[in-house]
Amino acid sequence: MKGYSRRMKTLVIGGGIIGASVAYHLAARGTEVTILTGGHPGGVATAASFAWINAAPGNARPYYELRLQGILEWHRLQHEIGTKLAINWNGSLGWESDAKATAQPVPDHAAWGYAIRMADGAEAAKQEPGLSNYPDRAVLSSMEGSLSPVATAQTLLAAAADLGAQINDDTVRGLIVTDGQIVGTETKSGRINADHVVLAAGVANEQLAADVGVNLPMANRLGFLAHSAPLPPTLRGLVLSPDAHMRQNADGRIIIGEDFASGSVPDDTEAMAETLFAAARALVADSEHLVVEHHTLGLRPIPADGLPIIGPAAAVSGLYITVMHSGITLAALVGRLAAEEIITGQEVETLAPYRPERFN
Ligand SMILES: Cc1cc2nc3c(=O)[nH]c(=O)nc-3n(C[C@H](O)[C@H](O)[C@H](O)COP(=O)(O)OP(=O)(O)OC[C@H]3O[C@@H](n4cnc5c(N)ncnc54)[C@H](O)[C@@H]3O)c2cc1C
């Protein structure tokens, strides 16, 4: 991996949470950065995201460790950027329909150092006083958080701009590679030269990379969110019930999520939103005004093996790839480590399992 010289110019393709974080960290370390947002400063998948920051049970130990570091890194970044970077750190309260299934992952996950424990109904009520009924046994995960995804990406873009980064709404049509070296991009309004290019274009990375011979196999999946109109404070943190995952955004909207594991679009998204809200109304004490305002259907950028793809493309010198699901959880960490690798040319060991080359 070639090192970075201060005179070199870096283009970050993508203004979602990942591109914004990479660009911020590059600019904060004194490099010349231009961000091409494709007309979406704040992101595409980012704008459709549930935005839960977690290292919850369900992943193998190494990926759990990366996610845990991802959580901690948001705290570091809050120290660096200050109060403009707002994150709700009130944790999550979750349960399954079966009490045994609720408790099952807790001991192992606690042994891995996660702040996770069982709570009784009284503790659950203390965690989320705005609910109308509580399970006898629930799981409290106090390290978890959530953020307003577009606002956060835009905060990072603004912080990058304050440090001299250029933000440009142009769209990239293709990467320009000469003799195995990236030399720039072809955009809608012409060519932009660069010495380093970071692909942070979410689901669009796959095609942009394929066009220059870099294989990024993806297994993207649709995800659905239903939003209420702004409401007075109702939920403290995340509530993860068997029927609905919900949280309240900083703007007061309650957001309820559903994952379409099959990848197919539901026929009737209005009905889907109503079903989710009915489940939420059955749980929330003051639910009279808890009605659907709008819903969103977004494509989750998911690499074929489910793990992030982060690192230099071996076949194209100067091209750096960042594509992942759980980009909200990982953005602060990935932004810092990617910037370090690009600037120093030295590989960071933490990222070794996530290299693009694993698909070749
Ligand atoms: C329904 C749903 C729920 C989710 N829930 C969670 C969650 O709870 N926790 C979690 O951690 N993650 C979650 N995710 C995943 C997370 O949102 C994504 O991993 C993350 O937002 C990806 O960010 P990104 O910046 O890579 O991509 P995006 O936000 O998609 O941004 C891509 C950027 O690239 C730009 N772009 C694209 N093509 C071009 C081009 N040709 N030229 C210039 N710019 C271009 C776009 O305009 C945009 O600015 C969820 C995703 C969805 C859809």
Side-chain angles (χ1 to χ4, degrees):
M1 197 171 156
K2 240 196 233 166
Y4 186 94
S5 125
R6 285 277 155 102
R7 291 190 307 277
M8 286 186 168
K9 184 170 171 184
T10 301
L11 272 183
V12 176
I13 305 177
I17 195 119
I18 298 296
S21 179
V22 174
Y24 164 76
H25 284 91
L26 283 168
R29 282 141 190 80
T31 65
E32 190 188 331
V33 187
T34 297
I35 306 144
L36 298 171
T37 74
H40 297 279
V44 175
T46 303
S49 184
F50 187 58
W52 170 23
I53 301 171
N54 75 87
N59 292 303
R61 180 71 185 262
Y63 187 43
Y64 157 79
E65 295 288 352
L66 188 82
R67 298 179 70 106
L68 181 64
Q69 211 183 325
I71 295 175
L72 302 178
E73 199 75 24
W74 277 114
H75 290 283
R76 182 198 62 76
L77 193 53
Q78 284 190 295
H79 284 287
E80 195 171 305
I81 288 187
T83 51
K84 281 180 286 184
L85 186 54
I87 300 177
N88 176 332
W89 286 121
N90 284 338
S92 75
L93 179 74
W95 65 95
E96 306 290 341
S97 27
D98 164 8
K100 208 170 145 200
T102 302
Q104 194 265 328
V106 174
D108 283 352
H109 226 56
W112 286 359
Y114 205 50
I116 186 171
R117 65 180 178 82
M118 297 305 296
D120 61 18
E123 282 179 295
K126 210 168 146 196
Q127 166 73 9
E128 289 296 344
L131 302 187
S132 56
N133 58 75
Y134 298 92
D136 293 336
R137 305 279 287 151
V139 175
L140 259 178
S141 299
S142 55
M143 298 178 84
E144 295 177 1
S146 63
L147 48 74
S148 301
V150 171
T152 303
Q154 289 178 348
T155 297
L156 294 174
L157 289 175
D162 286 347
L163 291 160
Q166 303 290 315
I167 300 173
N168 176 334
D169 273 348
D170 215 342
T171 297
V172 173
R173 291 195 164 134
L175 308 176
I176 309 171
V177 177
T178 305
D179 298 333
Q181 166 74 46
I182 196 104
V183 291
T185 61
E186 201 59 62
T187 72
K188 271 188 176 169
S189 49
R191 178 180 170 143
I192 302 179
N193 293 328
D195 306 290
H196 288 259
V197 171
V198 181
L199 268 185
V203 297
N205 283 323
E206 185 177 11
Q207 191 59 53
L208 288 167
D211 290 346
V212 292
V214 177
N215 183 29
L216 303 179
M218 300 292 289
N220 304 326
R221 217 169 63 217
L222 286 165
F224 180 79
L225 299 180
H227 303 243
S228 76
L231 292 174
T234 305
L235 303 178
R236 286 183 68 246
L238 295 124
V239 175
L240 312 169
S241 90
D243 301 317
H245 285 189
M246 57 184 172
R247 67 178 187 84
Q248 189 163 19
N249 214 25
D251 63 8
R253 286 187 168 80
I254 289 186
I255 301 173
I256 310 184
E258 169 71 75
D259 180 23
F260 295 106
S262 67
S264 58
V265 186
D267 289 337
D268 189 345
T269 49
E270 305 271 332
M272 170 62 72
E274 287 304 334
T275 304
L276 290 174
F277 265 68
R281 278 193 292 273
L283 262 181
V284 170
D286 190 4
S287 63
E288 195 192 339
H289 302 290
L290 188 54
V291 289
V292 182
E293 183 197 66
H294 69 278
H295 57 265
T296 55
L297 193 59
L299 201 51
R300 303 167 184 268
I302 309 181
D305 61 2
L307 297 173
I309 308 177
I310 311 163
V316 181
S317 184
L319 180 63
Y320 195 96
I321 314 287
T322 55
V323 60
M324 69 210 72
H325 191 261
S326 293
I328 306 295
T329 299
L330 297 171
L333 175 67
V334 168
R336 178 173 69 80
L337 298 185
E340 182 183 331
E341 291 200 321
I342 293 163
I343 291 167
T344 64
Q346 304 292 313
E347 296 197 7
V348 175
E349 189 54 34
T350 309
L351 297 177
Y354 307 107
R355 300 305 186 192
E357 273 51 63
R358 70 183 187 272
F359 295 110
N360 289 334

